[in-house]
Amino acid sequence: MSTTQLAVLARTVEPQRMLRRFLALDAAVTGANALAYLTLSGPLGRLFGAGSGLLLGLGAFLAVYTAGVALLAARPHPPTTGVRIVVEANLAWTAVSLAALVLWLTPTTAGAVWTVLQALTVAGFAVLQHMALRARQLNQD
């Protein structure tokens, strides 16, 4: 993806603003997911073929993670180390989601599709955040 394509997605050419927008988007989507898992763990558990306890635990984890990412997004200049941690956490979430699907989860078809889609979405956030961080670093040199 080129810098121009990244700028179109972020609706800005300013790397700092790109980075903050991609972090904020991650926080919004992850927060919505956390809220859904926390408030609808029973129905979603039945739909996905997952235990409601697993979804409650994931929802609590995602709520805390959302707060951290939102705090980074709110900073005028998110620290590089913090952003790298978010990128790496997103990549780890993707890998663990896909591994869980293959190794120990027995989801319904909807659950399998959801697991793959959310893993790809999180991987997309990692790519966008990494590219925006890189653009910011290149802009500072």
Side-chain angles (χ1 to χ4, degrees):
M1 180 178 292
S2 72
T3 304
T4 303
Q5 291 169 320
L6 196 63
V8 169
L9 280 174
R11 296 182 172 218
T12 182
V13 295
E14 183 186 337
Q16 184 66 18
R17 190 169 289 167
M18 274 184 219
L19 181 57
R20 293 181 66 216
R21 285 183 180 175
F22 291 139
L23 288 167
L25 178 62
D26 186 350
V29 171
T30 302
N33 202 24
L35 185 61
Y37 286 174
L38 289 169
T39 60
L40 300 170
S41 61
L44 288 176
R46 289 187 292 280
L47 176 65
F48 296 153
S52 62
L54 172 64
L55 293 182
L56 281 171
L58 289 173
F61 171 79
L62 292 174
V64 172
Y65 183 77
T66 295
V69 176
L71 284 172
L72 277 176
R75 297 197 52 183
H77 188 83
T80 299
T81 302
V83 175
R84 284 188 179 142
I85 289 169
V86 168
V87 168
E88 290 172 11
N90 282 342
L91 292 174
W93 178 273
T94 299
V96 170
S97 294
L98 296 176
L101 184 59
V102 172
L103 298 174
W104 65 81
L105 294 178
T106 54
T108 62
T109 301
V113 169
W114 175 254
T115 301
V116 171
L117 288 177
Q118 63 83 31
L120 292 174
T121 300
V122 172
F125 288 148
V127 168
L128 291 172
Q129 292 158 351
H130 171 75
M131 293 183 71
L133 180 61
R134 187 167 176 236
R136 180 179 82 176
Q137 290 169 332
L138 290 173
N139 195 43
Q140 291 174 350
D141 293 339

